[in-house]
Amino acid sequence: MPDLLIELFSEEIPARMQARAAEDLKKRVTDGLVEAGLTYVGAAAFSTPRRLTLTVQGLLAESPTLREERKGPRVDAPEKAIEGFLRGAGLTRDQLEERDEKKGKVFYAVIEKPGRPAAEIIAEVLDATIRNFPWPKSMRWGASSLRWVRPLHRITCVLSDEGGAEVVPFEIEGIKAGNQTEGHRFMAPGAITVSGFEDYEAKLKRAFVVLNPEERVEMIWQEATNQAFANGLEVVEDRGLLAEVAGLVEWPVVLMGKIGEAFLGLPPEVLQTSMKEHQKFFSVKNPKTGRIERFITVANRETRDNGATILAGNQKVLSARLSDAKFFWENDLRVAQRQGLEAWTDRLANVTFHNKMGSQRDRIARFTALAGELAAVTGADAALAKQAATVAKADLSSEMVYEFPELQGLMGRYYAEAAGLPAEVANACQEHWSPLGPSDDVPTAPVSATVALADKLDTLTGFWAIDEKPTGSKDPYALRRAALGVIRLVLVNDLRMHLDRFVDAQLLRHQIAANGDAEEALKEELLREIAEHGVFGAAVRTVLERLDGDAPEWVGQIVEHKPDTSDDLLAFIHDRLKVFLRDEGVRHDVIDASLAMPGKDDLTQLVKRARALSDMLGTEDGTNLVQGFKRANNILTQAEEKDGVEYSFGADVKFAEDDAEKALFAALDAAEAEIAPAMKAEDFAAAMSAMAGLRPAVDAFFEAVQVNSDNEVLRRNRLNLLSRIRQICLSVADLTKIEG
Amino acid sequence: MTDKPTKPRSFQEIILRLQNYWGAKGCAVMQPYDMEVGAGTFHPATTLRSLGSKPWAAAYVQPSRRPTDGRYGENPNRLQHYYQYQVLIKPSPPDLQALYLGSLEAIGIDMDMHDIRFVEDDWESPTLGAWGLGWEVWCDGMEVSQFTYFQQVGGHDCHPVSGELTYGLERLAMYVLGIDHVMDMPYNDPQSPIALKYGDVFRQTEEEYSRHNFDAASTEMLLRHFEDAEAECARILDNAAEDPKTGKRIIMAHPAYDQCIKASHIFNLLDARGVISVTERQSYIGRVRALAKLCADAFVQTEAGGWAA
């Protein structure tokens, strides 16, 4: 059985795309071969910056012959029907067989598909694979209309067995498959003829190409750690960088260089970021001092000076980069120490956050106020939270962050420390950005969590206030991420709060700000009242009454504030919560059942309820109880519609006839006695389990008792009994929303 | 062993060698465009000529202005006025990478001693409505060129595709000559009777323009000029294709494109003056892009743009 070797040789493939492309090549080609009847024993794919390679071992030399029988119309069927059958089968009438069947003579078509040689199939599959390759981004070049990730130059396609190797005849847009490839661009230019995968891999290695990316990764890591170890140092591990670097070289040569003495005082993160982002260098740390003292770069070639020129060049580039970084760092430190972080926040007055939301500085003022209000529910010291919020974004004006935006927050921490601010404030400067992604850590220090929450809520309310919400796939301000951040901050910190009050307050803060200057003190007093007691709270009215007709115009906005926008934002947050809980395995109907209950702006309570309900539905009693509830609810709803009354008068046990009926009374009494205090204590798990405990009694009741009795007194009493079941169940969650 | 080219001795020698190299490879060696542009790509020899089906090969130096990069001549490698070397070949030849590497050898980079890498870097010009795929080329970890296969310009698909090479001349020359601060780089041969350094030629202008760009340029006037250029570009193209005077079909794609270039540079100046907010920025870029598209639409209706009666 022959082996197949395919190599697609191109100009440099982006490192980040290589691994996926090798997998896609393997999948598409082998799937295509199998579909055409060519099975194989094994396959493997590899990539370097300039090639994707696939080897398939033990391929069938040709696809098996296929025989297919098709039953046709009767021999005496209308001519049209017979013609249609012939067309479908691709045969002429004399090729049909006539067979005797019960209903008379029937035509049969026996279609034989002869097997095809592997080469023919490979050519077809390869053509389709190249034309439809799922590159994340592809391009055209020259006058060709072919698309590939970068210009495709050469195709090697060789089928080999004991008898020898032959080129699979194949051509695409002027590129003809052959049995030649090329080695390293600089170290071994020129063509190499290959006869099969082993030969290919061995010859490539002699031509300074390590085909297997894992082997390159291993070589780089081994050599890097060896060189570091020999100097008593260690390489800072970075798997992502390692994979990327292995995708930039065919012949890895590891070179270690020193970082100039002048730069060793820079924060390690600055060194690391600068080296990684700009130069793709690894950082090498001195385990004794914890300082990053050297770097490792990976060249793509050997030279007769053992890389000395290359290393010197890299060192020079790094020095230029780090000189910049050092210049920024020292300037920034001077500002932080002498003028304080306010110097930077002042400058943020000139940076537009959004043309309808004013400057970054306006924004800081807004969420600082909110942070002060939130402190009451987060347990943070309000003064510290406000101080932290005031300076949290200061580093955006620093030179270092301007140059390395990815260091935002971290630099804030350094500069806050340099300015002598409290540790909680410095922490918040860094941590308030989190969580950024779904797997990012959530800050738990009260001050950090408060500022993080204020920041995100301000962003959300701000964009809601100007009606720029995410639509479809468009979410340019990452508002979905902000909403998820709010959810995770609330849940992880177990915060109990009426989210809608803070949302109302912040929305109004935005709307008032949009109307120009308001009287600060009065405005803040009102908004604080809203955040604490809600927009309809008595306290707000008290403040308004004190003004007694003398109110400035913007007060009207508060009085007439309609909760529509807040509700809409809350619904958006709930949508994100659904996605979040779904990923946790909580069903959407469970979330809906919990959302239908009062207090849904208290996310912690909402999620506790949903999780308890989800757990309950995982038990047999739970699912059966829901069935019982639904049955009770259906019977009851029908009866209520028919009779035009609501059966909520309370059932009386003295009308209970059957034992099962009496037992249900007892069970409901017992359950109520457990559920009410559990709900009061928000112990949803206990409430749900008490509710699920009703299952045997409910089932037995339906088993033994006919609700719609002829005796009207009995019937009404039983309906009222069902009403108790409904009432108890609905007090825990809206079980009508549960599906199935 | 083949003979290695000698090391160049000055900034201008590197430019001259590039001119000779690409001239010898068949490019029309053109002169800089006589307007302020942000990059060599803006030269009509690239932007407009990358459109349509007619083959093209050009190489030229283009003085480029980036007002926000001004550092009063103090930064070792940031300048508000610098030079780009630009090569554009349509259709991109199959050996463009090899041709490019040959140009590095021509300016004295010894391929046996250095580590040259093609690192993914996709190019996009929001103001030109253009994008392409390619790399930044690294020499020992230093970016020495931008290498792009144009896919779209002015909203038009490029067919055939042009290959574009852009060398940042100061940076490349500093690397080849081993200079740490751009102002210390020999401009002409250091053995010349009157040896001039880059700083002798440009330090003062860097100071003057930095001050002008950041603090002195009249924003009010610039805003007005932006509007004028924008209106003029559209007005020029509103003229009928047939010239009433000569009776010939003369679409004024290039004069209109001049206004587009002008608007683009004025936008850059306004940006440096710090009077454009983040969101306004997008809208200005969109306005320039709209002009670039108009000009591209017009150019493909001309003979050079592949139009045939």
Side-chain angles (χ1 to χ4, degrees):
Chain A
M1 287 199 292
D3 295 336
L4 171 66
L5 166 69
I6 295 174
E7 183 200 67
L8 301 170
F9 182 86
S10 68
E11 296 179 13
E12 276 75 357
I13 306 166
R16 65 188 170 95
M17 300 179 189
Q18 290 167 18
R20 180 65 203 273
E23 272 315 297
D24 285 335
L25 177 65
K26 182 167 109 184
K27 179 157 178 26
R28 296 211 164 208
V29 171
T30 53
D31 282 359
L33 294 177
V34 169
E35 201 174 309
L38 285 188
T39 54
Y40 61 97
V41 176
F46 306 95
S47 60
T48 80
R50 295 210 289 167
R51 58 197 98 221
L52 295 180
T53 302
L54 172 67
T55 163
V56 183
Q57 303 103 33
L59 195 65
L60 288 182
E62 57 178 39
S63 58
T65 300
L66 294 178
R67 209 181 116 97
E68 187 196 355
E69 261 190 27
R70 281 194 209 171
K71 185 180 173 183
R74 278 161 49 148
V75 172
D76 57 1
E79 198 57 26
K80 276 249 160 70
I82 296 170
E83 275 171 22
F85 178 65
L86 285 170
R87 257 200 312 281
L91 297 178
T92 55
R93 183 171 298 215
D94 53 329
Q95 290 171 306
L96 294 182
E97 283 177 25
E98 286 179 23
R99 291 189 196 164
D100 285 323
E101 290 198 352
K102 268 185 236 154
K103 290 175 188 165
K105 278 183 186 289
V106 174
F107 279 125
Y108 268 82
V110 178
I111 306 161
E112 199 153 281
K113 266 196 185 155
R116 298 162 64 211
E120 202 178 306
I121 294 171
I122 292 166
E124 282 171 16
V125 170
L126 192 51
D127 186 88
T129 302
I130 293 174
R131 289 187 198 278
N132 305 314
F133 205 80
W135 291 109
K137 258 187 193 172
S138 63
M139 54 163 273
R140 290 175 289 102
W141 60 94
S144 168
S145 57
L146 199 60
R147 300 189 74 92
W148 199 244
V149 64
R150 291 294 183 276
L152 179 64
H153 281 287
R154 214 188 249 283
I155 297 171
T156 312
C157 191
V158 174
L159 207 49
S160 56
D161 56 18
E162 309 81 51
E166 58 182 57
V167 172
V168 173
F170 171 68
E171 188 174 342
I172 185 165
E173 304 279 335
I175 309 169
K176 224 172 145 178
N179 60 355
Q180 290 194 318
T181 182
E182 289 171 41
H184 190 280
R185 186 198 287 282
F186 300 105
M187 296 181 75
I192 305 166
T193 303
V194 295
S195 62
F197 180 70
E198 273 172 34
D199 179 50
Y200 164 83
E201 195 180 20
K203 279 179 177 158
L204 276 186
K205 196 157 272 182
R206 285 203 292 280
F208 305 98
V209 175
V210 179
L211 178 67
N212 190 336
E214 280 165 28
E215 194 181 332
R216 295 196 301 275
V217 162
E218 199 48 39
M219 284 169 76
I220 294 168
W221 187 246
Q222 273 301 332
E223 185 58 26
T225 45
N226 283 348
Q227 288 192 20
F229 182 76
N231 287 279
L233 304 170
E234 57 191 40
V235 187
V236 177
E237 194 171 335
D238 187 335
R239 287 270 139 197
L241 181 62
L242 187 56
E244 186 182 0
V245 167
L248 287 172
V249 293
E250 293 200 309
W251 192 252
V253 174
V254 172
L255 301 169
M256 184 163 71
K258 285 189 181 152
I259 297 168
E261 196 63 39
F263 308 119
L264 294 179
L266 283 168
E269 297 89 346
V270 171
L271 285 172
Q272 223 171 316
T273 306
S274 178
M275 296 202 294
K276 175 184 173 171
E277 297 302 322
H278 293 305
Q279 304 304 134
K280 308 199 194 296
F281 289 172
F282 292 93
S283 298
V284 181
K285 197 166 68 178
N286 183 335
K288 289 190 209 87
T289 60
R291 288 198 314 185
I292 291 170
E293 296 179 350
R294 298 198 190 189
F295 68 88
I296 277 182
T297 182
V298 182
N300 186 31
R301 64 166 304 154
E302 294 166 12
T303 57
R304 57 174 189 279
D305 66 351
N306 292 319
T309 308
I310 295 172
L311 189 61
N314 275 289
Q315 212 140 12
K316 197 166 173 178
V317 180
L318 181 64
S319 289
R321 293 272 187 206
L322 294 182
S323 304
D324 276 354
K326 184 165 180 259
F327 179 75
F328 301 143
W329 168 245
E330 285 168 355
N331 281 354
D332 286 347
L333 277 184
R334 250 195 307 278
V335 173
Q337 285 160 353
R338 293 188 193 159
Q339 297 162 258
L341 268 50
E342 291 75 16
W344 282 320
T345 33
D346 285 347
R347 228 180 288 164
L348 289 173
N350 300 323
V351 179
T352 310
F353 172 66
H354 184 286
N355 60 350
K356 288 186 189 156
M357 275 187 261
S359 70
Q360 275 285 10
R361 207 196 144 156
D362 297 337
R363 184 171 123 73
I364 291 168
R366 274 194 311 265
F367 74 67
T368 298
L370 180 60
E373 290 153 9
L374 282 166
V377 295
T378 59
D381 178 296
L384 274 181
K386 288 175 83 165
Q387 188 186 11
T390 312
V391 297
K393 305 285 183 193
D395 65 343
L396 291 181
S397 284
S398 71
E399 295 186 28
M400 186 69 87
V401 173
Y402 182 82
E403 192 65 17
F404 298 108
E406 62 269 44
L407 290 179
Q408 73 183 18
L410 179 79
M411 297 320 295
R413 171 199 286 274
Y414 278 114
Y415 299 147
E417 283 165 357
L421 296 177
E424 294 94 328
V425 173
N427 283 344
C429 286
Q430 179 173 16
E431 293 175 347
H432 84 280
W433 292 99
S434 301
L436 286 172
S439 53
D440 201 9
D441 282 346
V442 174
T444 51
V447 172
S448 302
T450 309
V451 180
L453 195 54
D455 183 9
K456 288 164 182 66
L457 280 175
D458 180 73
T459 304
L460 287 165
T461 49
F463 284 99
W464 250 255
I466 61 168
D467 200 22
E468 286 204 27
K469 308 166 201 170
T471 50
S473 61
K474 280 203 179 119
D475 184 10
Y477 304 107
L479 300 180
R480 290 192 178 105
R481 196 171 74 185
L484 181 62
V486 168
I487 291 166
R488 295 187 61 216
L489 278 160
V490 170
L491 296 184
V492 169
N493 290 295
D494 205 16
L495 300 181
R496 303 304 308 274
M497 59 193 287
H498 288 291
L499 196 54
D500 63 355
R501 292 186 185 170
F502 294 97
V503 165
D504 274 331
Q506 202 63 3
L507 262 172
L508 278 163
R509 198 167 265 131
H510 278 284
Q511 287 162 347
I512 295 167
N515 275 10
D517 292 333
E519 284 163 61
E520 273 312 306
L522 176 62
K523 185 186 81 184
E524 286 310 317
E525 184 181 355
L526 275 168
L527 294 174
R528 198 171 51 244
E529 289 299 339
I530 291 170
E532 279 167 22
H533 306 293
V535 74
F536 304 114
V540 173
R541 273 200 308 280
T542 314
V543 179
L544 292 175
E545 274 159 18
R546 203 180 63 211
L547 290 168
D548 193 27
D550 200 19
E553 207 178 312
W554 56 265
V555 170
Q557 281 185 292
I558 294 182
V559 178
E560 285 153 32
H561 174 70
K562 289 194 188 64
D564 305 15
T565 316
S566 316
D567 287 352
D568 190 53
L569 175 53
L570 209 55
F572 176 76
I573 293 175
H574 283 143
D575 279 344
R576 302 327 296 164
L577 181 64
K578 284 186 194 175
V579 175
F580 174 75
L581 288 178
R582 206 150 51 207
D583 291 346
E584 253 184 31
V586 179
R587 278 158 36 186
H588 71 98
D589 53 341
V590 168
I591 303 165
D592 286 339
S594 310
L595 268 175
M597 302 302 288
K600 62 180 179 179
D601 69 327
D602 179 345
L603 301 182
T604 301
Q605 191 199 59
L606 176 62
V607 169
K608 269 190 195 163
R609 192 192 299 270
R611 284 181 183 149
L613 181 54
S614 185
D615 289 345
M616 187 197 84
L617 289 176
T619 67
E620 205 195 327
D621 274 352
T623 35
N624 283 314
L625 174 80
V626 172
Q627 293 313 319
F629 160 79
K630 286 197 165 173
R631 192 162 164 198
N633 190 42
N634 286 342
I635 295 171
L636 195 53
T637 313
Q638 278 169 14
E640 285 178 337
E641 267 174 30
K642 187 170 147 229
D643 305 347
V645 285
E646 193 177 311
Y647 288 100
S648 54
F649 317 115
D652 197 330
V653 73
K654 74 180 177 202
F655 297 117
E657 280 196 332
D658 194 282
D659 282 349
E661 199 171 3
K662 286 176 192 150
L664 181 57
F665 270 99
L668 287 171
D669 288 344
E672 257 174 354
E674 265 187 76
I675 292 173
M679 288 299 287
K680 203 159 182 203
E682 297 189 355
D683 185 349
F684 295 107
M688 303 263 180
S689 103
M691 184 171 79
L694 283 172
R695 177 232 170 160
V698 172
D699 284 359
F701 171 79
F702 280 123
E703 187 82 14
V705 178
Q706 169 83 28
V707 175
N708 285 316
S709 161
D710 294 336
N711 180 336
E712 194 56 23
V713 175
L714 287 186
R715 176 174 173 266
R716 260 182 269 145
N717 196 54
R718 282 172 186 163
L719 287 168
N720 278 319
L721 184 58
L722 294 188
S723 171
R724 279 189 68 192
I725 298 179
R726 176 165 74 180
Q727 201 191 330
I728 288 176
C729 291
L730 290 183
S731 73
V732 178
D734 186 351
L735 296 188
T736 59
K737 298 270 199 287
I738 300 297
E739 289 169 4
Chain B
M1 292 290 279
T2 50
D3 284 346
K4 303 284 180 197
T6 53
K7 283 258 172 218
R9 308 211 290 186
S10 65
F11 184 54
Q12 72 188 26
E13 188 180 345
I14 288 172
I15 296 178
L16 291 171
R17 287 195 191 184
L18 283 174
Q19 298 277 50
N20 286 332
Y21 177 83
W22 286 108
K25 295 294 175 191
C27 286
V29 174
M30 298 185 64
Q31 301 305 320
Y33 202 56
D34 59 343
M35 290 186 70
E36 299 131 313
V37 294
T41 310
F42 277 84
H43 194 307
T46 289
T47 331
L48 296 182
R49 293 290 177 158
S50 63
L51 292 163
S53 55
K54 282 200 167 180
W56 182 254
Y60 54 89
V61 178
Q62 180 61 50
S64 305
R65 302 198 189 210
R66 297 204 173 156
T68 45
D69 279 351
R71 295 291 182 275
Y72 300 86
E74 284 163 14
N75 189 288
N77 39 35
R78 260 194 230 266
L79 301 159
Q80 58 80 39
H81 172 283
Y82 67 107
Y83 289 103
Q84 283 193 343
Y85 197 83
Q86 174 88 2
V87 178
L88 188 90
I89 307 180
K90 177 176 77 175
S92 64
D95 59 345
L96 189 57
Q97 277 189 319
L99 284 171
Y100 166 74
L101 293 171
S103 75
L104 294 186
E105 285 207 270
I107 58 172
I109 294 179
D110 180 351
M111 290 294 146
D112 287 342
M113 300 304 286
H114 294 277
D115 180 33
I116 310 285
R117 231 85 75 67
F118 291 84
V119 181
E120 176 191 17
D121 190 34
D122 300 339
W123 172 81
E124 188 183 16
S125 167
T127 41
L128 287 176
W131 67 277
L133 298 190
W135 311 272
E136 47 183 53
V137 186
W138 286 16
C139 176
D140 303 339
M142 154 114 154
E143 185 194 341
V144 289
S145 305
Q146 192 74 37
F147 191 130
T148 309
Y149 291 101
F150 278 4
Q151 302 295 300
Q152 222 181 43
V153 172
H156 290 254
D157 278 345
C158 297
H159 217 325
V161 167
S162 301
E164 184 210 42
L165 307 172
T166 303
Y167 309 68
L169 281 171
E170 281 81 356
R171 200 180 344 185
L172 178 62
M174 281 165 70
Y175 189 73
V176 172
L177 300 173
I179 303 292
D180 291 328
H181 197 299
V182 63
M183 294 298 167
D184 297 334
M185 177 162 63
Y187 196 99
N188 60 3
D189 193 320
Q191 308 298 316
S192 311
I194 302 174
L196 294 169
K197 296 201 162 163
Y198 195 91
D200 296 324
V201 184
F202 285 120
R203 188 190 298 277
Q204 185 178 326
T205 52
E206 278 302 305
E207 278 182 359
E208 291 178 9
Y209 278 103
S210 292
R211 182 174 178 193
H212 168 264
N213 298 342
F214 289 128
D215 301 314
S218 156
T219 56
E220 195 192 322
M221 179 204 74
L222 288 170
L223 286 165
R224 208 166 56 234
H225 284 186
F226 183 92
E227 309 272 339
D228 287 349
E230 186 183 36
E232 181 67 358
C233 178
R235 198 191 61 79
I236 292 170
L237 294 175
D238 269 347
N239 282 286
E242 193 187 284
D243 172 28
K245 202 158 91 193
T246 61
K248 285 188 184 166
R249 187 172 185 281
I250 306 178
I251 294 171
M252 294 171 283
H254 285 82
Y257 181 63
D258 285 351
Q259 299 302 319
C260 170
I261 292 179
K262 208 173 265 183
S264 173
H265 177 66
I266 293 168
F267 160 70
N268 289 340
L269 273 174
L270 285 166
D271 200 21
R273 288 287 278 113
V275 294
I276 293 179
S277 74
V278 184
T279 32
E280 276 178 320
R281 216 166 172 274
Q282 286 313 311
S283 123
Y284 272 100
I285 289 172
R287 286 162 74 179
V288 177
R289 180 168 57 239
L291 297 183
K293 284 179 90 118
L294 280 181
C295 296
D297 295 346
F299 180 74
V300 296
Q301 294 300 314
T302 68
E303 203 188 316
W307 183 85

